[in-house]
Amino acid sequence: MKLLRFGPKGAEKPGLLDAEGAIRDLSGVIDDIAGDTLGDKIIGRLIGTDPFSLPKVEGEPRIGACVGQVGKFICIGLNYADHAAEAGMELPAEPVIFFKATSAIIGPNDTVEIPRGSVKTDWEVELGVVIGKEAKYVSEAEALDHVAGYCVINDLSERDFQLHRSGQWVKGKSADTFGPIGPFLVTRDEVPDPQNLPMYLEVNGHRYQDGSTKTMHFSVATIISHLSQFMSLQPGDVISTGTPPGVGMGQNPQTYLKPGDRMELGIEGLGVQQQDVVAG
């Protein structure tokens, strides 16, 4: 099942995509795709709902982030062997954990703003994992049982802020609009193997990233288990699991986003995002 949120920013309604590609309004069934709504009980009830019994949404509404009221936006760095090589960095012994501000979250097709003072705004297509059930001290074997579903994330980064402005990476990761999420939350029953998902990203029609979750250094199950040793993961928390090679920083010469650029990115089975870039 593909769940989504549609409507003006801050007033999104819950919906789902039917077999014909039309949006069906879920607001008469649930309040939002967020928090406890993401648990197995309610997700199971939604899976059993006949989409054609729900009101059809007419027109082409804005698509919002596919999960609302995100508590934690957790990211994993250097998690693809080929990306670490591209960056000239050693593969870590444990997952590299950092956070993005939740205020960075936007819809999958919303406009991306280059922040003031930026000289190195970069792109990163990533597999997003949305937690559906509290995870605390969970094993790798049980980790995926805590997942509500998967989505596409563009983990935008300002490399100069990230690497040269001292402190943690969060400075370069948290600008407004630096967290497009969606278009869909694809429930975990439709993603039997999150470690076998082709993914890509293009800028102005040129394909820079063309990878697969096969080359992840730490699997989704490993990441969830590892994180749960240090913090509880709550329903609606979002984990961005790292990016394959082809980021702007890895180009020769290095290539960064500029006003007027257009990004397109996607993951097989999880949908496609498109963002225009403007000056902030």
Side-chain angles (χ1 to χ4, degrees):
M1 183 174 56
K2 293 179 173 65
L3 299 171
L4 54 83
R5 299 167 72 246
F6 65 95
K9 187 172 183 178
E12 292 92 346
K13 295 181 177 181
L16 60 79
L17 203 69
D18 69 24
E20 297 176 353
I23 298 173
R24 298 285 173 165
D25 190 344
L26 273 172
S27 59
V29 181
I30 55 174
D31 292 332
D32 199 359
I33 300 168
D36 291 340
T37 301
L38 297 162
D40 287 348
K41 182 177 180 179
I42 294 180
I43 291 288
R45 180 156 58 88
L46 295 178
I47 290 174
T49 300
D50 176 11
F52 295 97
S53 69
L54 301 169
K56 184 177 180 180
V57 178
E58 302 296 339
E60 298 183 1
R62 169 187 173 270
I63 304 300
C66 60
V67 58
Q69 304 172 45
V70 175
K72 295 191 284 295
F73 194 172
I74 310 167
C75 300
I76 306 299
L78 298 175
N79 193 36
Y80 283 69
D82 34 11
H83 174 54
E86 168 186 62
M89 298 181 181
E90 295 289 331
L91 283 169
E94 293 188 357
V96 174
I97 303 168
F98 62 95
F99 288 81
K100 289 176 85 85
T102 56
S103 53
I105 294 172
I106 58 171
N109 304 316
D110 289 345
T111 299
V112 166
E113 298 178 2
I114 296 177
R116 292 182 186 180
S118 169
V119 292
K120 296 181 178 181
T121 294
D122 205 347
W123 56 80
E124 295 187 10
V125 60
E126 305 202 3
L127 173 65
V129 179
V130 178
I131 297 298
K133 179 173 68 173
E134 183 183 39
K136 187 174 182 178
Y137 301 122
V138 301
S139 67
E140 289 188 30
E142 61 187 344
L144 297 186
D145 293 338
H146 295 259
V147 173
Y150 301 91
C151 60
V152 182
I153 293 177
N154 191 353
D155 175 21
L156 288 141
S157 313
E158 211 300 331
R159 302 299 188 188
D160 189 58
F161 296 176
Q162 176 188 358
L163 301 174
H164 301 130
R165 296 294 294 271
S166 77
Q168 299 180 346
W169 287 2
V170 66
K171 285 183 179 179
K173 296 286 188 172
S174 293
D176 290 352
T177 77
F178 269 26
I181 300 178
F184 317 121
L185 174 64
V186 181
T187 51
R188 73 171 188 267
D189 59 297
E190 290 197 17
V191 187
D193 184 4
Q195 305 309 145
N196 187 25
L197 299 174
M199 58 209 307
Y200 75 95
L201 183 144
E202 298 177 351
V203 181
N204 301 328
H206 178 81
R207 184 159 296 197
Y208 284 96
Q209 292 188 276
D210 195 357
S212 170
T213 57
K214 286 181 179 180
T215 65
M216 273 189 185
H217 181 45
F218 299 109
S219 70
V220 173
T222 299
I223 290 167
I224 292 171
S225 176
H226 182 78
L227 288 170
S228 77
Q229 309 308 308
F230 303 99
M231 67 192 83
S232 64
L233 302 175
Q234 301 297 323
D237 285 350
V238 175
I239 306 168
S240 200
T241 57
T243 197
V247 299
M249 183 174 63
Q251 305 302 308
N252 186 17
Q254 292 182 346
T255 303
Y256 295 107
L257 293 168
K258 60 186 185 302
D261 284 345
R262 185 175 179 83
M263 290 177 283
E264 178 180 302
L265 57 148
I267 299 177
E268 186 174 280
L270 305 186
V272 173
Q273 300 184 355
Q274 292 183 327
Q275 297 119 23
D276 292 320
V277 180
V278 300

